Amino acid sequence: MLTTHVPAAPVVPGTGRLRPLGLGEVRITGGFWAERQRTNATVTLRHIAHWQTREGWIGNFDLAAAGTLPRGRRGREFSDSEVYKFLEAAAWQLGTGPDEELEATFRDFVARIAAAQEPDGYLNTNFGRPGQVARWTDLAWGHELYCLGHLFQAAVARGRTDPDADDGLLGVAVRAADLVCEVFGEGGIESVCGHAEVEVGLAELGRLTGNARYLDQARLFIDRRGHGTLPDQEWGRAYYQDDVPIRDAEVLRGHAVRANYLAAGATDVAVEFGDTALLDALRRQWDRTIARRTYITGGQGSRHQDEGFGDDWELPPDRAYAETCASVASTMFSWRLLLATAEPAYADHIERSLYNVVAAAIADTGDAWFYTNTLHRRDPGTAPDPDAASPRAFSSLRAPWFDVSCCLPNIARTLASLPGVLATVDADGLQLHQYASASISTRLEDGTAIEVDVATDYPRSGVVRVGVGSTAERPWTMTFRVPEWAGAGTLTYRPASGPERTVASDGPTIALTALFAAGDVVEFVVPVVPVFVRPDLRIDAVRGCVAVQRGPVVYCAESQVGDSDAPDLAVLEVDAGVPPQDVDGRVRVSARWSGHAERAWPYVAGSPDSPDGESGTLDLIPYHDWGQSGLCSMRVWLPLT
Amino acid sequence: MLTTHVPAAPVVPGTGRLRPLGLGEVRITGGFWAERQRTNATVTLRHIAHWQTREGWIGNFDLAAAGTLPRGRRGREFSDSEVYKFLEAAAWQLGTGPDEELEATFRDFVARIAAAQEPDGYLNTNFGRPGQVARWTDLAWGHELYCLGHLFQAAVARGRTDPDADDGLLGVAVRAADLVCEVFGEGGIESVCGHAEVEVGLAELGRLTGNARYLDQARLFIDRRGHGTLPDQEWGRAYYQDDVPIRDAEVLRGHAVRANYLAAGATDVAVEFGDTALLDALRRQWDRTIARRTYITGGQGSRHQDEGFGDDWELPPDRAYAETCASVASTMFSWRLLLATAEPAYADHIERSLYNVVAAAIADTGDAWFYTNTLHRRDPGTAPDPDAASPRAFSSLRAPWFDVSCCLPNIARTLASLPGVLATVDADGLQLHQYASASISTRLEDGTAIEVDVATDYPRSGVVRVGVGSTAERPWTMTFRVPEWAGAGTLTYRPASGPERTVASDGPTIALTALFAAGDVVEFVVPVVPVFVRPDLRIDAVRGCVAVQRGPVVYCAESQVGDSDAPDLAVLEVDAGVPPQDVDGRVRVSARWSGHAERAWPYVAGSPDSPDGESGTLDLIPYHDWGQSGLCSMRVWLPLT
């Protein structure tokens, strides 16, 4: 089931329309994401290691090895998984170039983890010892398999980026995976983990090692889910997707991270086993989830109570949960569908999730982040304590750490492996899905070597220039995604010799087939201008409002606390008759601040607003930049006058 | 501190602008509330006793008496309190007339509770025994004092309605209250209960028994709250109002039931101790809560996660929590402020809460109810299991019982004691706050006896006729509240002999002073017609929508599942240019169903709705009648065309 060429990428399906490229084949060389990758490498990964050490999460493994648990164990029941996610992120980072300090931390963590593994392969600091809950007895909430899924992904990252590494991580993972297959295989415990994740982990470990048993086990977990083997609870079995079998479900529901991890794992299973019916079911679920349960930012999950999807059209901006992890998970799901189907809509969603959730969640400084990503904040909250874990969703400022800190390592592994989602190849050529300055050096399916350089300041502009380096002596096809927000694009081929050629398309892709030669330039252009965007009128919470989007980037109004000139976002209205204008990296709109009376009772016959508001302009900033300058209020959706 | 005449009423302050009337002084004789009182007496109280027996909540006391706990204990940690609330409701009901079966149940329950009380007065089935958590060690979540607060209120109800009862309930309460004062008095445990309630219980027990120690203890609890003696937790100390001292707070916040019970208890303390600063603080908090944190139905609490108030203006109709208990508690708080200040705004809020939350929560049949009271339901949910406790907020149909069933006994005690909120007296006369057919026989503060009969079909019409029976030989004043929604009213005095007199007022009250004689009629009229009501524009979730209100009653659109002619509420728009019309008990509005395209991505540049919608009319029903005919969708707020 292994492909002959195995890219250093998180997902390497045995089959599918597109082949992913590995970190050795794509490198981001500048621009928006290069900057974030640099901060991730220099700040964020170290920040995570520091806090995971300080909070005792890596120390739990030492206690396990010393045999002194449960005394002194710290963190939530799933804290092991955070360490594994850090290792995965570090492995991808180390796959892009050497970093002695990070390599040392990686090896130190792996050694301490390995020392905690039990002889039969079991590995979890929270279960199974005297004084702890017995192994596998709390599948609903225990996260044991979930933790192992992240272990497997970490081992896969290391195995793909450094196949000869002698740190032993892959061995740890294999021993744990063998135990999982033994305990949960045919004839074993007939249930699943409350938090899906082991499925993607097993699938990829199977792909890496060639051990079909792991893929079989992933399929078993997928087929078992939805039959009510987990207990009913406050939010129903939909919370952990155990309400309806995956192939019968119509939409993602329940906990948004669990739902997306599960769907990603189910896609792996569908692809590996040629299960077209399952793949079709997943595609339908993705479609309805995107059409009815996703914020304009790409964020998913509108309920704080269970970190869950709400009903169709339930997308309140002020109570948007839009957990950072949910968008990482949604990107994982979408990427797998893109590889399987080559449909550009999946790349559209990855783009919006990256620019408006992943990039929004992490501070420019790399050492603070949002767990949830609201689209409207009235109350600025208070500044987070720099020396303590913060509660979720409490402030307009990013915090260094949270009681539950699943998101930051998730951001880190996404950024470290980001080059992998830029492009793919198939038998006929190269597909560009995400636009960033990059160098790409790969081979088509038949072994034809190609090298191109991408230069762009996207998303500031929509001009993407691809310079062809060495290439094959046969025609091949270069395919560009025309983003959903652009609607149309043009492509101009300027061969080193010969006449220029222009192709236009109203999407969703533009392709050009040519006998490319070194020195050829292909210029792809989409219009990047600010536009007003309106919601489907069934999204009641933002009916009568507009948002401003510029290329893939959603904008917002921000109002700093203490700024006496700050706009009052509570009574702001925008005149959509005046087109939004680019002004120094911001977008200027025509606005009015409605007059309003203070009333003892806020519901009145007749109009509650008075006509004596002030008019003016309002400068919007990219949503991913909000909350970086101090406590503030913020809103993405702007009521119309 | 006792008044010479003690009415059989839940709240009998030692001082204040108005004196409450007891169940012996006011009787509801017909109409909207008489019907609900009848169902409460004949169905609901028996339904509660049945389920509390079936769920083992009363049985827990038997286990306690038998010394076999914790084995076999059932229900949540606060289940004792539900039994006490049932007893309170039963006591008020028995205070209006004999009911042998109910009296027998009452005495049976009391005997079983008394048998469970420990020698030192401690009473709780969930704490203190070997195998249970120790007494008073989990004040944040244990609800021990909360349960006792409800015990005290039950004992007060019995003590006021049947002072000579030999059932022993008052003795049980007094022994428990003495223990509370001993344990939590000066020099005792310096903390408070996570769920406020003991404060109102102690205050009223103090008023009933004349034991100032209980009032002192209530004051201690009020003064202690807000100093962080309870632990910080996921939603902060605001959840149980332990974030800010009560006299420094600006608004109700955190858990909506806790906040209102606490404010009610604090009002009792402010009144009894002449603490004007505290009373003023509570009035300011009430003002801002009503102006910014209350639904048009009177419902409070917009967050499911912590059953809490959201921020100012955070009032999503689809995620309205609006717990039934919160409105009962808000009514308690408002009623105490009304007695203290005579301000009619408090009665306005009681009216809207009664018609649109209390009456909406309970089914017409009396044996099913809503825990939460949403203002918009898209997903009809599934029919509740008639033989099992249901989860909250899961269906458009009322359920017979919930895992947490605090609300139904709260409704029952409110309905049983409802005559007590219709009218008050002071030195000069009688004040009518709520309108219902009723007979009132009481004395003014100086002993002047008055008798009146109120006849009305309010809220169907706004005509209220008061016939004077026997009366005094001195002039006195009859005062009518002009409801906030009416804005103005007229009052016509038709003496048995002599010329007619008419007084008009644009509110908030109309008063008439006369030397009344038997046979005189006073007719109060307010216009009850359907009107469109608009929200303050800062309530983003319903900006650009209207609601329809007719008198105090909020209306809604309902769409039955399976009705092929049912309106599609998702794309409904209303033309507010056409006034709403009364049609056979419903209200007809001019409506349009917008055409809409199904899109893969719901946010588009340009208008997302197509102009080819259908127009027609839509009949709205009273909100309190929704969900009584089958699974349905529903909305109160209607988008404007």
Side-chain angles (χ1 to χ4, degrees):
Chain A
M1 219 166 288
L2 286 168
T3 57
T4 45
H5 170 80
V6 180
V11 191
V12 185
T15 179
R17 289 280 307 276
L18 306 176
R19 184 177 74 74
L21 304 186
L23 296 185
E25 298 169 285
V26 191
R27 201 160 47 83
I28 298 177
T29 53
F32 189 94
W33 292 112
E35 207 172 302
R36 278 156 182 83
Q37 281 204 298
R38 196 177 314 118
T39 305
N40 190 48
T42 56
V43 179
T44 307
L45 286 168
R46 279 151 182 79
H47 181 82
I48 295 171
H50 166 76
W51 276 89
Q52 290 190 346
T53 302
R54 168 187 171 143
E55 295 289 303
W57 299 354
I58 179 68
N60 290 338
F61 292 96
D62 303 336
L63 299 178
T68 60
L69 283 177
R71 193 157 46 83
R73 188 183 182 283
R74 293 172 63 194
R76 290 285 297 269
E77 62 277 21
F78 42 74
S79 67
D80 293 2
S81 73
E82 314 304 0
V83 180
Y84 304 147
K85 269 194 301 198
F86 163 74
L87 290 182
E88 186 193 341
W92 296 125
Q93 183 55 41
L94 291 167
T96 66
D99 179 332
E100 271 182 42
E101 187 191 328
L102 187 60
E103 177 77 28
T105 303
F106 183 92
R107 287 175 174 270
D108 172 53
F109 278 24
V110 169
R112 294 158 77 179
I113 290 163
Q117 189 169 34
E118 299 185 36
D120 66 351
Y122 185 80
L123 182 53
N124 190 296
T125 65
N126 199 50
F127 288 89
R129 295 167 192 82
Q132 291 186 325
V133 173
R135 288 183 189 183
W136 318 124
T137 56
D138 182 19
L139 292 175
W141 301 105
H143 290 77
E144 284 163 285
L145 289 167
Y146 166 84
C147 288
L148 293 180
H150 281 301
L151 172 69
F152 302 159
Q153 288 188 307
V156 166
R158 186 63 159 179
R160 293 231 173 94
T161 53
D162 190 355
D164 305 321
D166 58 356
D167 53 62
L169 180 59
L170 186 57
V172 170
V174 162
R175 281 189 295 279
D178 288 342
L179 180 69
V180 168
C181 293
E182 199 175 297
V183 174
F184 289 89
E186 298 287 3
I189 299 174
E190 288 217 23
S191 190
V192 295
C193 183
H195 199 315
E197 159 64 25
V198 74
E199 300 81 0
V200 276
L202 281 169
E204 220 56 45
L205 193 64
R207 288 163 169 171
L208 174 73
T209 61
N211 189 341
R213 194 182 179 197
Y214 303 153
L215 283 157
D216 290 340
Q217 186 62 46
R219 179 166 63 164
L220 259 184
F221 281 135
I222 293 298
D223 286 342
R224 270 183 202 150
R225 177 89 49 173
H227 294 282
T229 64
L230 297 174
D232 197 9
Q233 48 87 45
E234 191 175 349
W235 308 299
R237 288 198 177 90
Y239 173 74
Y240 25 51
Q241 298 78 44
D242 196 32
D243 54 337
V244 178
I246 299 174
R247 53 189 80 237
D248 299 335
E250 293 175 1
V251 67
L252 298 194
R253 67 227 172 276
H255 191 278
V257 183
R258 292 168 203 241
N260 274 294
Y261 280 165
L262 178 66
T267 307
D268 288 334
V269 166
V271 164
E272 293 306 321
F273 292 93
D275 190 338
T276 318
L278 178 57
L279 187 66
D280 288 348
L282 291 159
R283 294 184 67 181
R284 283 196 306 273
Q285 292 166 42
W286 189 94
D287 287 348
R288 180 162 147 194
T289 303
I290 297 298
R292 301 185 171 208
R293 298 188 172 194
T294 301
Y295 285 99
I296 190 172
T297 53
Q300 295 184 341
S302 64
R303 292 190 179 173
H304 284 235
Q305 101 185 343
D306 59 348
E307 303 185 306
F309 286 102
D311 293 333
D312 283 356
W313 313 119
E314 184 187 320
L315 293 161
D318 50 353
R319 292 296 283 168
Y321 199 73
E323 183 180 339
T324 305
C325 286
S327 281
V328 169
S330 175
T331 296
M332 287 167 56
F333 178 30
S334 302
W335 177 246
R336 283 160 175 77
L337 289 176
L338 177 62
L339 292 179
T341 68
E343 292 289 339
Y346 301 119
D348 284 334
H349 181 60
I350 291 172
E351 177 175 71
R352 69 174 74 99
S353 302
L354 289 175
Y355 280 105
N356 302 301
V357 180
V358 175
I362 183 85
D364 288 347
T365 52
D367 56 0
W369 50 287
F370 283 134
Y371 186 106
T372 63
N373 295 278
T374 187
L375 277 73
H376 182 185
R377 182 139 198 134
R378 294 183 188 86
D379 174 5
T382 54
D385 185 339
D387 293 319
S390 292
R392 305 167 209 178
F394 81 110
S395 178
S396 56
L397 297 183
R398 292 162 184 81
W401 206 248
F402 292 87
D403 299 321
V404 174
S405 275
C406 43
C407 303
L408 191 58
N410 241 341
I411 296 171
R413 66 177 180 149
T414 303
L415 291 174
S417 63
L418 195 68
V421 301
L422 259 55
T424 55
V425 293
D426 62 8
D428 296 326
L430 175 75
Q431 300 82 37
L432 291 179
H433 305 290
Q434 306 298 335
Y435 300 114
S437 292
S439 65
I440 301 174
S441 169
T442 184
R443 287 174 186 278
L444 305 187
E445 292 286 277
D446 64 354
T448 304
I450 55 170
E451 278 183 34
V452 300
D453 259 299
V454 184
T456 180
D457 65 348
Y458 192 94
R460 188 101 287 279
S461 92
V463 180
V464 181
R465 259 182 220 99
V466 181
V468 178
S470 68
T471 180
E473 303 237 327
R474 65 119 163 151
W476 54 275
T477 304
M478 214 182 279
T479 305
F480 294 79
R481 175 178 61 96
V482 178
E484 159 279 327
W485 51 261
T490 58
L491 192 153
T492 305
Y493 175 40
R494 298 199 184 90
S497 62
E500 190 170 299
R501 192 155 34 119
T502 295
V503 196
S505 167
D506 57 0
T509 58
I510 308 187
L512 178 89
T513 305
L515 183 62
F516 292 107
D520 287 2
V521 172
V522 180
E523 188 176 274
F524 172 73
V525 179
V526 283
V528 173
V529 292
V531 291
F532 287 121
V533 176
R534 290 168 203 253
D536 188 295
L537 50 76
R538 289 167 290 185
I539 306 174
D540 292 288
V542 293
R543 227 189 227 234
C545 291
V546 289
V548 171
Q549 196 172 330
R550 186 181 179 284
V553 176
V554 173
Y555 279 65
C556 68
E558 187 186 77
S559 199
Q560 296 290 319
V561 168
D563 173 1
S564 56
D565 294 330
D568 183 354
L569 300 187
V571 294
L572 173 69
E573 293 175 344
V574 162
D575 181 356
V578 182
Q581 300 291 334
D582 270 323
V583 179
D584 300 332
R586 300 185 162 210
V587 172
R588 185 162 291 170
V589 296
S590 181
R592 191 180 78 171
W593 287 267
S594 290
H596 62 278
E598 292 300 332
R599 285 191 174 77
W601 177 240
Y603 309 100
V604 295
S607 177
D609 50 345
S610 68
D612 60 346
E614 290 170 43
S615 291
T617 60
L618 177 72
D619 287 351
L620 308 177
I621 61 170
Y623 173 72
H624 60 67
D625 282 344
W626 91 275
Q628 307 240 23
S629 316
L631 291 168
C632 61
S633 54
M634 179 278 294
R635 64 188 303 163
V636 167
W637 289 103
L638 310 171
L640 292 169
T641 47
Chain B
M1 218 168 288
L2 286 170
T3 56
T4 46
H5 169 80
V6 181
V11 190
V12 185
T15 179
R17 288 280 307 276
L18 306 176
R19 183 177 74 74
L21 305 186
L23 296 184
E25 297 169 285
V26 191
R27 201 161 46 83
I28 298 177
T29 53
F32 189 95
W33 292 112
E35 208 172 302
R36 278 156 182 83
Q37 282 203 296
R38 197 176 315 118
T39 304
N40 190 48
T42 57
V43 179
T44 307
L45 286 168
R46 278 149 183 81
H47 180 82
I48 295 171
H50 166 75
W51 276 90
Q52 291 191 344
T53 303
R54 170 188 171 141
E55 295 290 302
W57 299 354
I58 179 67
N60 289 339
F61 291 97
D62 302 336
L63 299 176
T68 62
L69 284 177
R71 195 156 47 83
R73 189 182 181 283
R74 294 172 62 195
R76 291 284 298 268
E77 63 276 21
F78 43 74
S79 68
D80 293 2
S81 73
E82 313 304 359
V83 180
Y84 303 148
K85 268 195 298 199
F86 164 74
L87 290 181
E88 185 192 343
W92 295 124
Q93 183 56 41
L94 291 167
T96 66
D99 179 333
E100 271 182 39
E101 188 192 327
L102 187 61
E103 177 76 28
T105 304
F106 184 92
R107 286 177 175 268
D108 173 53
F109 278 26
V110 169
R112 293 158 78 179
I113 291 163
Q117 189 169 35
E118 298 184 37
D120 67 351
Y122 185 80
L123 183 54
N124 190 296
T125 65
N126 199 49
F127 288 89
R129 295 167 192 81
Q132 292 185 325
V133 174
R135 286 182 190 184
W136 319 122
T137 56
D138 183 19
L139 292 174
W141 301 104
H143 289 77
E144 284 163 287
L145 289 166
Y146 165 84
C147 289
L148 293 179
H150 280 301
L151 171 70
F152 302 159
Q153 288 188 305
V156 166
R158 185 64 159 179
R160 292 229 173 95
T161 53
D162 190 354
D164 304 322
D166 59 355
D167 53 62
L169 181 58
L170 186 58
V172 170
V174 162
R175 282 189 294 279
D178 287 343
L179 180 69
V180 168
C181 294
E182 200 174 295
V183 174
F184 289 89
E186 299 285 4
I189 300 174
E190 288 217 23
S191 190
V192 295
C193 183
H195 198 315
E197 159 63 27
V198 73
E199 301 81 1
V200 275
L202 282 168
E204 220 57 44
L205 193 65
R207 287 162 169 172
L208 174 75
T209 61
N211 188 342
R213 194 183 179 197
Y214 303 152
L215 284 157
D216 289 341
Q217 185 62 47
R219 179 165 63 163
L220 258 183
F221 281 135
I222 294 299
D223 286 342
R224 270 182 202 152
R225 176 89 49 173
H227 294 282
T229 65
L230 297 175
D232 197 8
Q233 48 88 46
E234 192 175 349
W235 307 299
R237 288 198 178 89
Y239 173 74
Y240 25 51
Q241 297 77 46
D242 197 31
D243 54 337
V244 178
I246 299 174
R247 54 189 80 238
D248 299 335
E250 293 176 1
V251 67
L252 298 193
R253 68 228 171 276
H255 191 277
V257 183
R258 293 168 203 240
N260 274 293
Y261 279 165
L262 178 67
T267 308
D268 287 334
V269 165
V271 164
E272 292 306 321
F273 292 93
D275 189 338
T276 317
L278 178 58
L279 187 66
D280 288 348
L282 290 160
R283 294 184 66 179
R284 284 196 306 273
Q285 292 167 42
W286 189 94
D287 286 348
R288 180 163 148 194
T289 303
I290 297 298
R292 301 184 171 209
R293 298 188 174 194
T294 301
Y295 286 99
I296 189 174
T297 54
Q300 294 183 342
S302 65
R303 292 189 178 175
H304 284 236
Q305 100 185 345
D306 59 347
E307 304 185 306
F309 286 102
D311 293 333
D312 284 355
W313 314 119
E314 184 187 319
L315 293 162
D318 51 352
R319 291 297 283 169
Y321 199 72
E323 184 179 340
T324 304
C325 285
S327 281
V328 169
S330 175
T331 296
M332 288 167 55
F333 178 29
S334 302
W335 177 245
R336 282 160 175 78
L337 289 176
L338 177 62
L339 292 178
T341 67
E343 292 291 339
Y346 300 120
D348 284 333
H349 181 60
I350 291 172
E351 177 175 69
R352 68 174 75 101
S353 303
L354 289 175
Y355 280 104
N356 303 301
V357 181
V358 174
I362 182 85
D364 289 347
T365 52
D367 58 0
W369 50 287
F370 284 133
Y371 186 107
T372 64
N373 295 279
T374 186
L375 277 73
H376 183 185
R377 183 140 197 132
R378 293 184 189 86
D379 175 4
T382 54
D385 185 339
D387 293 318
S390 292
R392 305 167 210 178
F394 81 111
S395 178
S396 55
L397 297 183
R398 292 162 183 82
W401 205 248
F402 292 87
D403 299 323
V404 174
S405 275
C406 43
C407 303
L408 191 59
N410 240 342
I411 296 171
R413 67 177 179 149
T414 303
L415 290 174
S417 64
L418 195 69
V421 302
L422 260 55
T424 54
V425 292
D426 63 7
D428 296 326
L430 175 75
Q431 300 82 36
L432 290 178
H433 305 291
Q434 306 298 334
Y435 301 114
S437 291
S439 65
I440 301 174
S441 169
T442 186
R443 287 174 185 278
L444 304 188
E445 292 286 278
D446 64 354
T448 305
I450 55 169
E451 279 183 34
V452 300
D453 258 299
V454 184
T456 180
D457 65 349
Y458 191 95
R460 188 103 286 278
S461 93
V463 180
V464 181
R465 261 183 217 97
V466 180
V468 177
S470 68
T471 181
E473 303 237 329
R474 65 119 164 150
W476 54 276
T477 304
M478 213 181 281
T479 305
F480 295 78
R481 174 177 62 97
V482 177
E484 161 278 327
W485 52 262
T490 59
L491 191 153
T492 305
Y493 176 40
R494 298 201 184 90
S497 61
E500 191 170 298
R501 194 157 32 120
T502 293
V503 196
S505 166
D506 57 1
T509 58
I510 307 186
L512 177 89
T513 304
L515 184 61
F516 292 107
D520 286 2
V521 171
V522 180
E523 188 175 273
F524 172 73
V525 179
V526 283
V528 173
V529 291
V531 291
F532 287 120
V533 176
R534 288 166 204 254
D536 188 295
L537 50 76
R538 289 167 290 184
I539 306 175
D540 293 287
V542 294
R543 225 189 229 233
C545 292
V546 290
V548 170
Q549 196 171 331
R550 186 181 179 284
V553 176
V554 173
Y555 279 65
C556 68
E558 188 185 77
S559 199
Q560 296 290 319
V561 168
D563 174 0
S564 56
D565 295 331
D568 182 354
L569 301 186
V571 293
L572 173 69
E573 292 176 344
V574 162
D575 181 356
V578 182
Q581 300 291 333
D582 271 323
V583 179
D584 300 332
R586 300 185 162 211
V587 172
R588 185 163 291 169
V589 296
S590 181
R592 190 180 78 169
W593 287 267
S594 290
H596 62 277
E598 291 302 331
R599 285 191 175 76
W601 177 240
Y603 309 99
V604 295
S607 175
D609 49 345
S610 68
D612 60 347
E614 289 169 43
S615 291
T617 61
L618 177 73
D619 287 351
L620 308 177
I621 61 170
Y623 173 71
H624 58 68
D625 282 343
W626 91 275
Q628 308 242 20
S629 316
L631 291 168
C632 61
S633 54
M634 180 278 294
R635 65 188 303 164
V636 166
W637 289 102
L638 310 170
L640 292 169
T641 46

